[in-house]
Structure formats: structure tokens, C-alpha cells
Amino acid sequence: MTDVISTSRDADRFWSRIANELAQAIGQGVYAPGVRLPSEHSLAQQFGVNRHTIRRSLASLVQRGLVNASQGRGTFVASFAVELVLGKRTRHRHSLRHAGLRGALQVLKSALVEAGSDEAKALCVPEGSALLYLQVLGEGAGQPLHVSERFFPLPRFANLAQEVHNTGSISEAFARHGVADYLRQESRISARLPEKDVAELLAQSVSRPALLVTSVNVDTEGVPIEFSKAWFAGDRVTLTVNHHDS
Amino acid sequence: MTDVISTSRDADRFWSRIANELAQAIGQGVYAPGVRLPSEHSLAQQFGVNRHTIRRSLASLVQRGLVNASQGRGTFVASFAVELVLGKRTRHRHSLRHAGLRGALQVLKSALVEAGSDEAKALCVPEGSALLYLQVLGEGAGQPLHVSERFFPLPRFANLAQEVHNTGSISEAFARHGVADYLRQESRISARLPEKDVAELLAQSVSRPALLVTSVNVDTEGVPIEFSKAWFAGDRVTLTVNHHDS
DNA sequence: CGATATTTGTCCGTATGTATA
DNA sequence: GTATACATACGGACAAATATC
């Protein structure tokens, strides 16, 4: 007898079936964003399978970005999406305001470094030149949106770190250094999976894509004033490139 | 005695160590692109661990896009990276030529469709208007680089599909429809994990990031002539946005 | 074509380590 | 310190897809 094997053909594998069932439950809000899922042990009992089978299902959900697992704490449901504008005059604040959000920049690290080949080329300075290095976290809607490494030529922007810290804004800090206006020269965009450290700062899984944007800002004279490598949380951010510009 | 636990602190976990070792071997060409890795059983013996530990390592490599596993056949090493320019005047051919590559467009599907809300808004036509729909695959270096869905307003570009097919170029097809020049208005870029069908067309894993670029092209009069959603293979493509433009 | 071996995929069971509450 | 929960690793068994003879 060609018996009914499964009501729908989504039976597939146990772990896959369970993953889909959990994903659906999450989608329907049975498990809301931020909520802890039942423990692996408990899920294993619920579904009547081995704990490893549940682990396989959860691994799939982590990979799909639906949940984040944290050793010793539990497995939690994830979230969101924000649109940022990338143009000649990109300002973090303005982008966010445009998206109806408030946000600020936070200086995570500040240091004096020597220019490597990439930085030197971008900023048009000799290799080994002294640069100001900032690691900056950008937030919006209470969530990290991007984390960036920024390099500034040094005699000129010696006190920038403090200003960024005080004002929570790069453009404002520039303004206080006499740079009232500046332009973005070029942006290189790629989709990458973030390293663990970046992923943690972005509060996203290492298996979720991020946008890596490297860019150079120049002052109105065309002199490079900043080279940056910024990681954007792919799940929460869409970049919009304005070609005719504003 | 505080004995030496490991020569370097990269010991981490076995599976991670093994994964990195294999990744390095792949990077050094010990295992060249396309080559089959030793079987899990064999690797387990080589590294003196359980097969499941090797499987965990290989899962990591698959996830990182370094290898592809195929049931019954084996696990094979993967490949590449190309840079494409995104500007006011984006032309697939020119981008590739810039990257030192030759490539052509291939029309996968062609159909008449009604404008959905997105397409209608982008092309400034009423919803339900007749549009030409093309699914196009872009290749370079013998590999798929992007796959796109493109919508064209219809009375105007009735014969475009044939022209694209003949010339292997959108811009050339436009030219033959009397559009000698056109501009890109805006591009929205996000990092996404591709669906299975897109991933297959791009010949990449569903767990590897892709760049989704939606954009509108307008003719010199500012009339929208094309709305497109293009998926770029994240592992092989970097987009460069030229803000001052050429 | 069929039979068999190989190779990856799934699942169960157990034990131990490690981070957190 | 204790309990909980996730992480790693080992072991075995069988299924499914493929390759080979």
C-alpha cells in the first residue's frame, strides 16, 4: 500500500522540519524578538527527538539569522531594518534622521598609528605617516548599525577623537576643526561575512551577511581627510546610493 | 609543571583548528579549486579525530564558501573575485572591461507582465501596465557574476528581448531602440543571503552573502526606461560607487 | 544493466567542558 | 558553590547519492 508518508512534502529531515516549525512559530510571534526559546533539552522532549537533532535545527535558525545562541544563557529570537543614504555628502546623523531615527556615534578606540599601504594610498600620504585611528560604533533605534575603522591625517586632526566623543558626530567634529564641508570621493562595497569581533559589535551572527564599505572623504579643496572601512549590519541596513546626488 | 599546552594559542577547538588548517592548505593551493578533498573518513584518520569532528570542520568550510560538499561524490574546493563599477553610467560591458574581463549577458527568461506596485512606482507608470520582463544572467571570467530581473515599459521597448539576445548587451539593445544614452538614477544596495534559485544561478552557496542592487535607469529626458533587481555573487564581486562620476 | 563499494547525510546515545544564572 | 544550558567530542548505525566494476 502506498501509504501516506507525510501530509505535506515538507517532511524532509527531522531537523529541517523542526527548524521550519520553529521558524514559523517565530514568524507568528509565538516566540517574540528577544524572547528565549525553550532549552535544547526541553525542545528535544517536546519534539520527541534527540538533543542533537534539535541542535541541528537551531544551527539552521542561527544560520538564517532568526535566533542567536549564547552559551550558558539560552537561545534568543532576533530582529529589524534601517535605510541609510550613501551619497556625495554622507552624514550619519542626516541618514538616520531621514530614516526617522535618532542615533549617535560612539568612539570605541582611539589611537595613533602609522599609515599602512592602503591608508597611505587613500589619504595621499607617505607610508608610515602618523595617523589618528578611531574605531567607531554607530547606533540607531537602539541597535548597532555599523562599526567602522577611520583614519585621519594627523597634524591636522590631532584633537578629533575628543570632539567626536563630545559631539557624537564626525561631521560636527570636522566642523570644529575648520572643515565646514566635505565630500565622499568613492565607495567600495562588498558583501562579506563578518569576523567574530565585528559580528559581536554589530550584535549579529557571523553567518549573516554584512556590507563592507570602504570610502575616502575629501575637503572642499579635494584634500583627503578621512579613510574609513565601515561594516554595516546587513540584516538591519540597506544602503541607498544617490547618483544624481543632493 | 605548567606544561606547554600548545605552541600557539590558536588551539581553540579541534574542529576549528582543523578547519583553519584545511583553509590554509586551500589558500596555499595544496588543494586547488575544483579538486576533491580527502574523504571525511580519511581526514578523520589523518587528524586522529572522530569523523564527526571532521564533519564540523567541513561544515565550517562549506559555510565560509571555501568548499562544496556533494553526497556520494565528495567535498570539493571552490573559487574567485571581480570588481564592478556602479556609477551614473553603469554599463556591464565597460565594468568588465575595466576589470580586464570579457563577458556577455544571457537572457534566461523573457515575458510580458503587468506592473506590480514596486515596478509601477519606479517606472512612473500605472499599476497593471504592460511591461517587458527579462531575467538576465551576467557572466565574467567564465563565471556567473550577477543575475537580474529587469522591467521595461512596453509600447516603447517591445523588441528589446530580441536585441539583448542578439547583442548580449543592454546598452546596445537600448541604442537600437533609439536610446543612445541613459543614466542611473538611484541604487539601493543590501547584503542578503540568496534564495536557492538565485544561489544556483550564481553558482554559489545559499549561505554566502550576495549583494542585492535595485536600480532605475532613465533616458536623457529623465523618463524611466528600466527598473532592475540584480543579485551579485558576493564572493566574486565588489561594487565600486563613483560619487563624482565619470 | 546490476551489484558493490565509497562518500556524504542523518540520527541516536554518552561524556565532558565551559559560560552563565 | 550549585544548577542550568550551550559547546565540543567521541562512538555507532543506517540512509541516500554517487562512483565503479
Side-chain angles (χ1 to χ4, degrees), chain A residues 52-112:
Chain A
H52 288 302
T53 304
I54 292 295
R55 278 183 66 72
R56 184 67 186 82
S57 305
L58 291 179
S60 164
L61 294 184
V62 167
Q63 211 259 324
R64 286 154 64 181
L66 291 177
V67 302
N68 298 305
S70 173
Q71 188 168 353
R73 296 201 306 135
T75 304
F76 301 83
V77 180
S79 349
F80 279 68
V82 176
E83 186 165 33
L84 298 180
V85 177
L86 197 69
K88 246 178 192 166
R89 286 187 170 72
T90 295
R91 307 289 185 271
H92 179 250
R93 281 254 174 107
H94 298 181
S95 295
L96 282 178
R97 201 167 300 155
H98 185 264
L101 298 172
R102 280 185 310 165
L105 295 179
Q106 191 182 336
V107 178
L108 300 181
K109 286 185 198 166
S110 166
L112 299 184

